[in-house]
Amino acid sequence: MENNIKTDLSLKDNPIRPQAYKILKIEKHTQIEWTFRIEFEKEMVPGQFLELSLPRIGEAPISVSGFGDNFVELTIRNVGEVTKEIFEKKVGDYIFARGPYGNGWPIEDLKGKNIIVVAGGTGLSPVRGLIEYIRKNPDDFKDLYLISGFKNHNSVLFKEDLEKWKNTEKFHTRYTLDTEEYQGFKKGMVTEYVKEIPFKDFDENFACLMVGPPVMIRFTALAFLKEGVKDEQIWTSFERRMSCGVGKCGHCRINDTYVCLDGPVFNYTKAKELLD
């Protein structure tokens, strides 16, 4: 009897065992990118991720794009078998999740600094929670400079947030579209606008964050370095590398680094060794 009790407890407390959570809200941004709000009571740090799963179908790592009292938000792109099935879900349905996993943005290290964020496409998702944290705690930070880019006006995410941030005191925003001009957006890649950030006015008291496709990360880092930014002043997320989340499958491994365990957020002193 004693052995059976121990077995039951170990299953209940197993950190990789998914639990069912109710879907509270679904927001459709584009045809293939929706945000799902689910019940969730565990503590989160902006930049972490969850593993979402459906029985007999599979699981997928998804970055947390926002959270609050007893809920978490996950912005999902419908690009695979698991996400296809998730998009069939409705408010009130349940989805399985485990986590949170990974190391998020270093909030304590960022406090008191000017924060520069450059995000490309869905790369805005894993940094959205941090931007909201800064908005709600303005006295803990200097100014925030946000450059957020999308392919075209049909692929824009978080439109209400973009408008809210544009009108937030101490926020300086630049929104771009890769292929077209559109009201409220500049045309061009995000890297073209890094030179407009007044780094010389910061007296070295700043930190740069970048999230997006690997090629965007590479060229954004080069743009920062061209402006005299030091490696240790840059942070990035490798959230696209996630797989099992606990370092068992090895799919996120780069050389000797397990991105899911050591990241997904890295300082550029380390991240530059991991870039493809």
Side-chain angles (χ1 to χ4, degrees):
M1 179 65 70
E2 183 177 354
N3 288 336
N4 290 336
I5 292 176
K6 288 182 178 179
T7 300
D8 291 341
L9 287 175
S10 66
L11 286 174
K12 181 179 178 180
D13 299 331
N14 189 337
I16 63 172
R17 185 185 187 189
Q19 300 180 42
Y21 297 97
K22 182 187 291 186
I23 298 173
L24 303 175
K25 179 182 177 182
I26 300 174
E27 182 177 358
K28 301 178 181 180
H29 304 292
T30 71
Q31 289 185 336
I32 63 170
E33 290 151 327
W34 299 357
T35 292
F36 291 75
R37 176 180 291 189
I38 64 173
E39 289 181 334
F40 200 79
E41 297 179 354
K42 297 180 181 179
E43 292 186 5
M44 301 288 305
V45 175
Q48 291 185 300
F49 65 98
L50 297 181
E51 292 279 350
L52 298 188
S53 62
L54 295 172
R56 298 184 299 276
I57 296 174
E59 66 177 7
I62 305 292
S63 292
V64 172
S65 59
F67 55 89
D69 293 335
N70 300 322
F71 75 84
V72 66
E73 293 180 333
L74 303 131
T75 301
I76 302 174
R77 199 161 193 245
N78 187 0
V79 293
E81 193 64 29
V82 177
T83 53
K84 177 183 176 182
E85 293 297 326
I86 291 175
F87 270 49
E88 297 294 325
K89 296 290 185 179
K90 298 178 177 61
V91 172
D93 289 344
Y94 284 80
I95 190 170
F96 286 85
R98 57 183 175 89
Y101 296 118
N103 297 304
W105 301 106
I107 292 178
E108 293 303 316
D109 292 338
L110 300 178
K111 287 183 177 179
K113 297 180 180 179
N114 292 284
I115 308 299
I116 298 92
V117 176
V118 179
T122 54
L124 184 58
S125 299
V127 79
R128 175 178 175 243
L130 176 64
I131 295 173
E132 276 295 286
Y133 181 90
I134 294 172
R135 185 183 69 83
K136 295 175 181 177
N137 299 274
D139 294 338
D140 291 343
F141 302 87
K142 298 292 186 180
D143 286 14
L144 180 136
Y145 294 79
L146 170 63
I147 304 174
S148 183
F150 303 91
K151 184 177 181 180
N152 54 51
H153 76 275
N154 291 319
S155 62
V156 175
L157 306 179
F158 311 119
K159 292 180 181 178
E160 291 184 4
D161 288 330
L162 295 179
E163 188 66 22
K164 176 176 59 180
W165 297 337
K166 184 175 68 174
N167 296 303
T168 297
E169 187 178 1
K170 298 172 66 174
F171 276 32
H172 311 269
T173 59
R174 175 75 74 191
Y175 305 141
T176 73
L177 301 176
D178 295 348
T179 60
E180 62 178 333
E181 292 183 357
Y182 197 77
Q183 184 176 359
F185 293 83
K186 294 287 186 179
K187 182 179 180 180
M189 302 296 180
V190 291
T191 51
E192 298 176 27
Y193 297 94
V194 170
K195 61 180 179 291
E196 296 183 359
I197 299 171
F199 290 104
K200 294 182 180 179
D201 297 340
F202 299 155
D203 195 26
E204 294 297 313
N205 186 33
F206 66 88
C208 298
L209 285 59
M210 51 185 187
V211 192
V215 65
M216 185 224 108
I217 293 297
R218 181 177 296 278
F219 283 100
T220 300
L222 292 175
F224 283 146
L225 296 174
K226 186 176 180 180
E227 295 299 318
V229 179
K230 300 180 179 65
D231 288 355
E232 57 267 26
Q233 293 173 307
I234 304 173
W235 298 83
T236 190
S237 174
F238 283 75
E239 49 94 21
R240 291 170 179 246
R241 297 281 310 195
M242 298 301 97
S243 190
C244 74
V246 291
K248 297 299 183 182
C249 71
H251 291 165
C252 75
R253 182 178 177 181
I254 306 175
N255 299 323
D256 294 329
T257 299
Y258 285 85
V259 176
C260 63
L261 299 180
D262 301 319
V265 173
F266 290 93
N267 186 263
Y268 192 65
T269 53
K270 178 66 174 180
K272 64 182 180 181
E273 303 173 1
L274 307 178
L275 290 170
D276 293 336

